[in-house]
Amino acid sequence: MSERLLVIGLDGYDPAIASALMRAGALPQLCALQARSAIVTLDHGDARRTGLAWEHFATGLAPEAASRFSAVDFDVDRYTCVQRGTTLTPFTVGLDARAVVFDAPYFDLKKAGRTQGIVGWGAHDPGVPLQSNPRGLSAQLQARFGPYPAQRWIYGHTWPSAARTREMGHRLAQAVDVRAAAAEWLLNERITDWTLGIVVVSELHSAVEALYHGLDPDHPLAELPSAAPARDGMHAVYAATDALVGRLTQRMPDAAVLVFSMHGMGPNESDVTSMALLPELLYRMCFGEPLLHGVGLGVDVATGLVMPPENEAWTDSMRRYFGQPPASTDRPQALGALWRGGRRLLRRGIRRWVPPGPTTNSLSWMPAAWYAPHWPRMRAFALPSFYDGQIRINLKGRERSGCVAMQDYANTLDEIERILTACIDPATGERVVRELIRTDACSAATLGPTQADMTVVWAGTAAAIEHP
């Protein structure tokens, strides 16, 4: 039995896509590995809805064990949300192993004891800042291989432009090649006495989110000029990943190999509904008028789609269509200058006394966050969410400006449930809700900052909802 284990994680790897490419002979290394391996199908279960799959891997903790059910943290006093990185200890701390990690998301090396490696280099949703152990290791990587070569395309929005779609596919495939060379250097040259090596490939995740319309003939964007370069880009990224697996396994023949993905990919049934339509529905339920007006929406006659200009950024499109969002949803605007000045003083004066906290990212780009100034006056509102809809009740005694008494908690959820179950997708006439998951009233008063009172599981990919 080998004394070393090489673990290769494939973020966003979809077995259906890979199987089709294998049948076409396009992924020889993965085919050969599959032929000589034991294969197990994983079921991530309801934990996949948290969007924290890589934190579950990095820590070995389920959401209940970590008391963390989302990357979005809600502040009950300020009525604001941020996307928060990990605060948890990696699982390697408890192992009797010499571990080396390369770019595993949500793997906090500062809390990982003697685990060595580099994280936050080019991961999709890294959950941690760029860090390394030993400290100078990331500088050595940058000197040898340069910065991550596809930074612009980690979160790509390219479908209106065939040229940009082509560039995205090319750059992501190139990034996999650089990742393979960097991983080989790290594990085969720079640190050689490891017994557990972990390498994660994230370009598959970035590619499938932006380029999938090149593979699915039923996709709404399948007839666009960008579909052909999207298909080529997806094939190139999978081929580069196949080559990475072959390169690493061949250069480390003494290591047992585990290649895995937390879950596959599928139709996006959440972004439009969770990020825009649900917040607007609850706003209208409360105030009886719209907040989003869709100013400037124009439909392309040839495609029937709302077509942004080819080179316009997604955030610019959202501002143009729906109006300018609040300048900041992270802290009161009047205190912005004071906050920045005080933060600079803290950095300069007592930085070494303050332990580093988790990485936080603003959510001000998401339409759901634009409603935050109105949340204190609403009985219920939709939290920013990357997956299922998340509804928070403005509960007295829990939220600072809570207006729903505990005795009205169940009735308020009943009312929201009646409204949601009556909503349909006007394009199909079908209901937009598949399932509503309610928090038990006994737990409501102690609901954590990453939890919601009601979770909305959507049915299908609705681009609009209609209530009678």
Side-chain angles (χ1 to χ4, degrees), residues 298-318:
V299 177
D300 180 75
V301 175
T303 63
L305 301 169
V306 176
M307 292 288 292
E310 279 199 13
N311 296 312
E312 184 173 69
W314 185 88
T315 50
D316 293 335
S317 296
M318 293 302 99

Side-chain angles (χ1 to χ4, degrees), residues 115-423:
T115 300
Q116 296 180 287
I118 302 165
V119 295
W121 176 68
H124 187 110
D125 184 21
V128 289
L130 175 64
Q131 54 181 260
S132 66
N133 183 31
R135 183 175 295 181
L137 191 58
S138 61
Q140 295 174 26
L141 177 84
Q142 300 259 18
R144 190 174 183 114
F145 298 99
Y148 180 67
Q151 186 68 38
R152 180 185 176 190
W153 305 111
I154 291 177
Y155 311 107
H157 164 65
T158 66
W159 60 267
S161 168
R164 290 175 63 223
T165 300
R166 186 175 296 107
E167 182 181 358
M168 180 178 185
H170 171 73
R171 294 294 183 188
L172 287 175
Q174 181 186 53
V176 179
D177 294 338
V178 176
R179 185 181 296 279
E184 182 184 340
W185 166 79
L186 181 65
L187 296 173
N188 222 37
E189 182 179 331
R190 178 59 180 81
I191 304 173
T192 58
D193 64 341
W194 54 272
T195 56
L196 172 62
I198 300 173
V199 177
V200 176
V201 182
S202 68
E203 289 76 14
L204 295 162
H205 192 153
S206 298
V208 76
E209 285 191 351
L211 308 180
Y212 186 72
H213 64 292
L215 298 183
D216 182 1
D218 297 322
H219 197 287
L221 308 179
E223 300 301 319
L224 291 183
S226 64
R231 179 191 64 243
D232 295 342
M234 286 290 293
H235 288 176
V237 172
Y238 269 80
T241 301
D242 182 75
L244 175 146
V245 171
R247 179 174 182 169
L248 295 185
T249 54
Q250 289 163 17
R251 288 302 305 272
M252 300 162 211
D254 62 321
V257 177
L258 169 64
V259 178
F260 81 100
S261 182
M262 291 296 288
H263 50 70
M265 303 294 280
N268 187 337
E269 298 179 345
S270 299
D271 279 7
V272 173
T273 41
S274 294
M275 294 184 183
L277 298 181
L278 180 62
E280 177 68 9
L281 180 70
L282 294 179
Y283 181 88
R284 295 186 186 192
M285 172 184 161
C286 180
F287 298 113
E289 61 183 19
L291 183 66
L292 298 186
H293 295 275
V295 177
L297 285 171
V299 177
D300 180 75
V301 175
T303 63
L305 301 169
V306 176
M307 292 288 292
E310 279 199 13
N311 296 312
E312 184 173 69
W314 185 88
T315 50
D316 293 335
S317 296
M318 293 302 99
R319 290 186 175 97
R320 186 162 57 85
Y321 293 147
F322 299 120
Q324 186 74 19
S328 172
T329 57
D330 298 330
R331 62 183 67 93
Q333 189 170 0
L335 298 179
L338 180 61
W339 171 270
R340 289 190 295 272
R343 190 171 54 182
R344 282 195 293 270
L345 288 174
L346 282 172
R347 282 203 302 263
R348 293 171 183 169
I350 59 172
R351 176 169 47 186
R352 57 185 173 179
W353 298 351
V354 180
T359 302
T360 58
N361 295 316
S362 169
L363 292 167
S364 60
W365 58 269
M366 190 187 298
W370 303 351
Y371 296 78
H374 307 282
W375 290 347
R377 297 184 294 123
M378 297 175 65
R379 288 187 300 142
F381 46 88
L383 297 173
S385 172
F386 294 94
Y387 298 91
D388 304 317
Q390 301 291 312
I391 298 175
R392 189 90 178 190
I393 301 299
N394 199 5
L395 190 63
K396 284 183 178 180
R398 190 182 68 188
E399 277 73 20
R400 184 196 65 208
S401 301
C403 58
V404 176
M406 180 57 76
Q407 59 265 31
D408 297 324
Y409 179 79
N411 290 336
T412 303
L413 288 176
D414 288 343
E415 180 184 359
I416 295 171
E417 183 169 338
R418 285 193 298 270
I419 289 175
L420 283 170
T421 54
C423 290

Side-chain angles (χ1 to χ4, degrees), residues 86-112:
T86 190
T87 61
L88 303 173
T89 300
F91 74 91
T92 54
V93 168
L95 297 181
D96 183 20
R98 297 185 299 277
V100 179
V101 177
F102 183 41
D103 225 19
Y106 287 82
F107 198 104
D108 190 349
L109 279 173
K110 292 180 180 178
K111 296 187 176 182

